[in-house]
């Protein structure tokens, strides 16, 4: 017996000699600290036990209310050494305090349907429940409060007052609030985090040495990674810790209900399983046959789809409500575009076209236009309420057709011009010759008419006084001669337009010389305008015919004069060299041209000055001469702002 007592004393002495820490807990909130079947557990409890192992200290867990623990931790003679509380970020309690254990926050909670709380200003004038001694209370201790504060001992008390409409808002810590919300479904979270805090171990200031050991152990756990393992265990991502006791009760009740339903289902399954087995054999055979047929149909459908998808043209099937039943999605966007219209500029409306085809049951084939492209649209009825729409681009065919028509027209015009020029030149020559004779005769007859008038004062010529009649006849001869010369110039332009391209006689020509000659020949016309010339000091020489190029520049200068008003018109002529290109530009501040005129300005016989005697051949001939010289003509014009014509030629090789 004595030996047994000695052994007991021997083994219990180390335990009695070991230091102990009384850890006060109060929470029923998972996963921090709660009691399940009489056992205290949770993150705080397990962390403190691990600290006790590292400091060779026995941890004694003692449960009290939160207010009791607050009073005890401020009493150096109490039986509680350490508690875990939340402190606001950057605010320490007037106690010995550890490093932060885990972050948390507090936010506002109101009844369902109440307005949200966006900031502290939204609490002004409201009744707000604050838990005594909690970190919300500590945070507000030195701040001006513009709301009516209602002190409570527990957050749950605040929720109860909220339901009774005795407070308007409860500011509660998030972990506790999440546990309470399922029990109070009429309460909801109404704000983002208003206060950020952290869990800490705190103790009376007299136990600062003990808190120092706890802090060292806590830091050791963080450095070793064991702290992170505990955090993952209790706060792991995707896992919400719950009150295990209440959960077990709910799960047990649910298990009983599931068991009853399962038993009934098992009995019912027994009745129908026999008939299902009989039908299974029949269904299996039918399923095999159906799968084989579906595979054949699927293969055929894929082949058909591949063929249609490979077609570059758009193919779409729609019904009368414009629902797309099938499409290969090629160019289908055109059908709904506002820029897609008939080639004669009529507006295209898809619904109207589809309904017309369905009503008449006749196909629609039309040429369409989209921006700079041309398309052929076909709509064919294939059912009572369905049509197939085919879209095919025909831009190249349209351009080829236009080029062919233009070539035919120009060939006919060339033949016609040659014939007309030949037929007109002969009578024009006779007119010019006769008018010259009449002009010379009038000069010789003038003295005789004067002499005869003195002999016969009442003598009249065509009802006019002889001297007046002579002047009118001389003026008429001049007018006839000018008209004949104009006819001759038009005939020469026609002959030049129809003349085949001959480049064998081209020589090296300087554009500066061409401009100076053209200015001398048009000096009588340009004297009423301000002409500015900027000719490059380099020699912009090209290969060509100087007389033809002078004709082009003269024509462009005359057109600029006709577009400008006298005394206010400004004409700028400039030559330059850009790389291997010689550039000649003529700019005026005249009336300008609209886009429709610009498109037709080089067409033969098109003119905006027909009432002033314009033939419409000037720019046509100029355009042909420039093309024969392998040059380009660019025209920029705005109505009321003027016109700029830019000619570019390849520089002559040395």
């Amino acid at each position: 017996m004595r030996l047994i007592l000695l052994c007991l004393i021997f083994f219990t002495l180390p335990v009695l000699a070991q230091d102990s820490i009384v850890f006060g807990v109060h929470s029923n909130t998972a996963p921090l600290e709660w009691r399940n079947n009489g056992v205290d557990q949770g993150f705080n409890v397990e962390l403190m036990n691990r600290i006790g192992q590292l400091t060779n200290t026995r941890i004694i867990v003692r449960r009290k209310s939160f207010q009791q623990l607050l009073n005890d931790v401020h009493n150096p003679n109490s039986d509680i050494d350490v508690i875990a509380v939340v402190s606001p970020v950057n605010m320490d309690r007037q106690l010995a305090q550890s490093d932060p254990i885990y972050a948390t926050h507090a936010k506002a909670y109101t009844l369902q349907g109440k307005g949200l709380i966006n900031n502290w200003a939204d609490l002004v004038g409201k009744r707000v429940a604050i838990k005594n001694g909690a970190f919300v209370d500590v945070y507000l201790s030195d701040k001006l409060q513009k709301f009516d504060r209602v002190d409570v001992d527990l957050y749950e008390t605040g929720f109860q007052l909220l339901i009774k409409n005795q407070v308007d808002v409860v500011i509660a810590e998030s972990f506790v609030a999440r546990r309470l919300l399922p029990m109070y479904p009429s309460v909801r979270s109404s704000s983002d985090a208003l206060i950020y805090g952290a869990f800490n171990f705190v103790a009376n200031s007299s136990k600062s040495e003990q808190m120092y050991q706890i802090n060292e152990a806590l830091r050791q756990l963080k450095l070793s990674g064991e702290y992170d393992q505990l955090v993952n265990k209790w706060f792991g991502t995707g896992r919400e810790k719950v009150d295990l006791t209440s959960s077990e009760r709910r799960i047990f009740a649910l298990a009983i209900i599931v068991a009853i339903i399962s038993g009934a289902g098992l009995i019912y399954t027994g009745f129908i399983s026999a008939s299902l087995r009989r039908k299974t054999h029949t269904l299996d055979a039918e399923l095999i046959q159906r799968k084989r047929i579906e595979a054949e149909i699927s293969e055929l459908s894929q082949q058909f789809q591949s063929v249609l998808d490979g077609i570059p043209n758009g193919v779409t099937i729609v019904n009368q409500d414009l629902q797309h039943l099938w499409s290969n999605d090629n160019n289908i966007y055109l059908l709904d575009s506002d820029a897609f219209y008939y080639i004669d500029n009529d507006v295209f409306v898809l619904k109207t076209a589809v309904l017309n085809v369905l009503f008449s049951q006749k196909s629609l084939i039309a040429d369409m236009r989209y921006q700079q492209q041309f398309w052929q649209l076909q709509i064919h009825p294939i059912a009572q309420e369905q049509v197939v729409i085919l879209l095919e681009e025909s831009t190249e065919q349209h351009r080829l057709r236009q080029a062919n028509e233009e070539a035919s027209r120009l060939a006919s015009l060339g033949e016609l011009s040659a014939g007309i020029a030949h037929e007109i030149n002969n009578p024009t020559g006779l007119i010019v010759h006769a008018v010259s004779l009449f002009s010379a005769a009038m000069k010789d007859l003038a003295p005789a008419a004067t002499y005869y008038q003195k002999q016969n004062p009442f003598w009249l010529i065509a009802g006019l006084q002889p001297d007046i009649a002579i002047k009118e006849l001389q003026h008429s001869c001049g007018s006839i001669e000018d008209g004949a010369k104009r006819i001759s110039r038009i005939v020469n332009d026609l002959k030049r337009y129809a003349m085949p391209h001959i480049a064998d006689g081209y020589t090296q020509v300087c554009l500066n010389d061409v401009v100076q000659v053209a200015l001398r020949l048009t000096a009588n016309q340009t004297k009423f305008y301000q002409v500015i010339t900027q000719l490059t000091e380099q020699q912009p020489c090209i290969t060509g015919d100087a007389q033809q190029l002078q004709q082009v520049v003269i024509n462009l200068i005359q057109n600029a004069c006709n577009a400008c008003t006298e005394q206010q018109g400004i004409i700028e002529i400039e030559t330059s060299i850009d790389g291997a290109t010689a550039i000649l530009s003529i700019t005026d501040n005249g009336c300008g041209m609209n886009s429709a005129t610009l498109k037709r300005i080089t067409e033969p016989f098109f003119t905006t000055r027909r009432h002033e005697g314009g033939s419409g051949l000037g720019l046509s001939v100029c355009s042909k001469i420039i093309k024969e010289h392998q040059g380009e003509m660019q025209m920029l014009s705005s109505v009321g702002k003027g016109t700029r014509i830019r000619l570019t030629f390849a520089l002559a090789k040395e």
Side-chain angles (χ1 to χ4, degrees):
M1 187 67 180
R2 290 179 179 177
L3 182 61
I4 295 173
L5 288 174
L6 289 173
C7 291
L8 289 173
I9 292 171
F10 177 78
F11 285 110
T12 55
L13 278 176
V15 175
L16 293 174
Q18 185 180 17
D19 293 336
S20 64
I21 296 176
V22 179
F23 179 46
V25 299
H26 71 281
S27 172
N28 289 318
T29 304
L32 298 169
E33 52 193 42
W34 81 97
R35 176 168 290 181
N36 184 28
N37 295 327
V39 178
D40 287 303
Q41 54 186 302
F43 174 75
N44 291 341
V45 176
E46 186 170 351
L47 180 61
M48 181 55 76
N49 285 332
R50 189 69 187 94
I51 291 173
Q53 294 174 6
L54 292 176
T55 59
N56 195 26
T57 306
R58 186 163 62 97
I59 303 300
I60 301 172
V61 179
R62 189 161 296 165
R63 181 170 290 276
K64 293 186 180 183
S65 70
F66 178 71
Q67 300 300 331
Q68 288 175 334
L69 290 176
L70 281 180
N71 293 332
D72 286 343
V73 81
H74 286 86
N75 183 6
N77 299 319
S78 71
D79 59 340
I80 299 299
D81 296 319
V82 177
I83 65 174
V85 294
V86 181
S87 298
V89 174
N90 299 329
M91 290 183 64
D92 294 336
R93 295 175 180 268
Q94 301 302 317
L95 296 166
Q97 185 169 306
S98 73
D99 291 343
I101 301 173
Y102 196 76
T104 185
H105 63 270
K107 55 184 179 178
Y109 295 85
T110 63
L111 292 176
Q112 298 282 355
K114 298 294 184 180
L116 297 176
I117 306 298
N118 297 314
N119 47 54
W120 289 98
D122 292 341
L123 297 176
V124 174
K126 290 185 169 53
R127 299 168 297 173
V128 182
I130 305 296
K131 179 180 175 182
N132 281 328
F135 88 109
V136 180
D137 187 10
V138 175
Y139 176 81
L140 296 174
S141 61
D142 60 347
K143 291 178 174 57
L144 179 63
Q145 302 170 17
K146 296 183 180 180
F147 52 82
D148 297 332
R149 173 171 173 160
V150 179
D151 292 333
V152 295
D153 57 342
L154 297 170
Y155 290 126
E156 188 169 4
T157 305
F159 277 41
Q160 293 171 353
L161 294 178
L162 187 63
I163 292 175
K164 295 177 183 178
N165 203 27
Q166 295 179 4
V167 296
D168 301 312
V169 181
V170 177
I171 299 180
E173 191 271 329
S174 62
F175 284 109
V176 180
R178 278 192 289 177
R179 179 181 65 84
L180 294 175
L181 284 177
M183 296 185 288
Y184 298 93
S186 61
V187 179
R188 70 162 184 176
S189 169
S190 299
S191 75
D192 294 331
L194 296 175
I195 309 172
Y196 291 95
F199 285 93
N200 303 85
F201 293 127
V202 299
N204 193 275
S205 300
S206 62
K207 299 178 181 179
S208 58
E209 180 63 28
Q210 191 179 62
M211 184 55 67
Y212 174 78
Q213 295 177 359
I214 292 174
N215 240 349
E216 288 298 314
L218 181 60
R219 293 168 186 170
Q220 184 177 346
L221 290 172
K222 289 182 178 180
L223 291 174
S224 66
E226 190 172 347
Y227 168 82
D228 294 332
Q229 294 176 359
L230 288 176
V231 170
N232 287 332
K233 174 181 177 181
W234 296 101
F235 303 95
T237 303
R239 204 159 51 124
E240 180 67 23
K241 298 300 179 180
V242 297
D243 188 337
L244 296 182
T245 304
S246 59
S247 298
E248 287 176 357
R249 294 195 189 105
R250 289 195 297 270
I251 293 173
F252 181 71
L254 182 61
I256 294 175
I257 296 173
V258 171
I260 295 173
I261 295 174
S262 299
L266 185 62
I267 296 173
Y268 178 72
T269 303
F271 282 111
I272 66 172
S273 60
S275 60
L276 288 177
R277 281 194 297 270
R278 289 193 298 270
K279 293 181 179 180
T280 299
H281 298 292
T282 305
L283 291 175
D284 287 343
E286 183 179 347
L287 183 61
I288 293 172
Q289 179 70 10
R290 183 170 297 178
K291 285 183 177 180
R292 184 181 62 80
I293 296 174
E294 288 179 352
E296 294 176 355
I297 295 175
S298 176
E299 182 180 1
L300 182 61
S301 176
Q302 290 177 358
Q303 293 173 350
F304 181 68
Q305 183 70 39
S306 298
V307 172
L308 291 175
D309 288 343
I311 297 176
N313 303 332
V315 181
T316 304
I317 298 176
V318 301
N319 58 17
Q320 62 181 3
D321 296 325
L322 300 187
Q323 293 177 337
H324 290 198
L325 306 180
W326 182 89
S327 175
N328 64 356
D329 293 330
N330 288 339
N331 308 311
I332 198 64
Y333 64 92
L334 295 176
L335 298 175
D336 299 319
S337 174
D338 294 335
F340 189 64
Y341 49 88
Y342 293 104
I343 198 168
D344 57 1
N345 293 329
D346 285 347
V347 177
F348 171 73
V349 181
L350 178 61
K351 187 174 183 64
T352 303
V354 170
L355 292 178
N356 288 340
V357 170
L358 288 174
F359 178 76
S360 64
Q361 287 296 301
K362 294 182 179 179
S363 299
L364 169 67
I365 300 176
D367 290 327
M368 313 296 293
R369 189 166 186 170
Y370 176 75
Q371 296 178 355
Q372 303 300 321
Q373 299 175 335
F374 294 91
W375 296 79
Q376 186 181 71
L377 170 71
Q378 299 184 36
I379 305 179
H380 303 284
I382 57 174
Q384 189 64 29
E385 297 181 354
Q386 297 177 10
V387 298
V388 60
I389 302 175
L390 306 177
L391 278 172
E392 179 181 3
E393 186 178 3
S394 58
T395 304
E396 189 63 27
Q397 295 90 321
H398 183 83
R399 289 176 179 171
L400 289 174
R401 186 166 59 250
Q402 281 186 327
N404 184 49
E405 292 174 356
E406 183 177 357
S408 300
R409 185 172 66 253
L410 291 178
S412 300
L413 179 61
E415 296 176 1
L416 179 63
S417 299
I420 292 175
H422 179 73
E423 295 296 330
I424 293 178
N425 261 341
N426 291 333
T428 302
L430 294 175
I431 293 173
V432 172
H433 179 73
V435 166
S436 298
L437 178 61
F438 292 160
S439 297
M442 288 299 104
K443 292 179 181 179
D444 295 336
L445 291 174
T450 303
Y451 177 78
Y452 186 75
Q453 186 180 12
K454 291 179 180 179
Q455 302 299 322
N456 185 4
F458 301 102
W459 178 51
L460 298 178
I461 301 175
L464 297 175
Q465 292 293 328
D467 54 343
I468 297 175
I470 293 296
K471 292 180 180 179
E472 286 295 327
L473 287 171
Q474 290 175 342
H475 178 72
S476 298
C477 288
S479 299
I480 293 171
E481 186 176 6
D482 290 341
K485 289 181 179 179
R486 174 172 173 74
I487 293 172
S488 180
R489 284 198 302 271
I490 293 174
V491 170
N492 289 333
D493 285 343
L494 280 171
K495 291 171 67 178
R496 181 67 186 84
Y497 188 78
M499 189 182 300
H501 171 49
I502 301 174
D504 294 340
Y506 283 177
T507 59
Q508 196 172 95
V509 180
C510 179
L511 290 182
N512 289 352
D513 297 338
V514 171
V515 171
Q516 291 170 353
V517 171
L519 286 173
R520 286 197 299 271
L521 295 176
T522 57
N524 190 51
Q525 289 179 278
T526 59
K527 64 184 179 181
F528 301 106
Y529 308 95
Q530 181 181 354
V531 179
I532 302 172
T533 58
Q534 296 181 3
L535 305 181
T536 179
E537 294 182 358
Q538 298 174 305
Q539 293 298 314
C541 295
I542 66 172
T543 302
D545 186 304
Q547 187 176 2
Q548 293 179 3
L549 293 172
Q550 291 164 11
Q551 181 182 352
V552 170
V553 177
I554 290 171
N555 193 288
L556 296 180
I557 292 175
Q558 289 174 339
N559 286 348
C561 292
N562 292 329
C564 296
T565 57
E566 293 185 3
Q567 309 305 330
Q568 296 180 352
I570 299 175
I571 302 173
E572 298 181 22
I573 304 175
E574 179 183 0
T575 61
S576 60
I577 295 177
D578 184 7
T581 304
I583 302 171
L584 168 62
S585 63
I586 299 177
T587 307
D588 65 69
N589 63 344
C591 58
M593 296 176 283
N594 56 28
S595 58
T597 303
L598 275 175
K599 290 179 181 179
R600 302 187 58 194
I601 197 66
T602 58
E603 289 183 11
F605 307 112
F606 174 79
T607 178
T608 58
R609 299 176 49 252
R610 195 169 302 280
H611 63 285
E612 299 175 10
S615 65
L617 285 171
L619 282 178
S620 300
V621 174
C622 289
S623 177
K624 183 175 182 182
I625 292 173
I626 293 168
K627 289 180 181 178
E628 290 174 353
H629 284 74
Q630 306 299 315
E632 292 184 0
M633 178 168 61
Q634 297 176 344
M635 287 191 274
L636 299 175
S637 185
S638 298
V639 176
K641 295 183 179 180
T643 302
R644 176 183 174 88
I645 298 180
R646 187 172 185 265
L647 309 181
T648 58
F649 303 93
L651 283 173
K653 296 181 180 180
E654 295 294 338

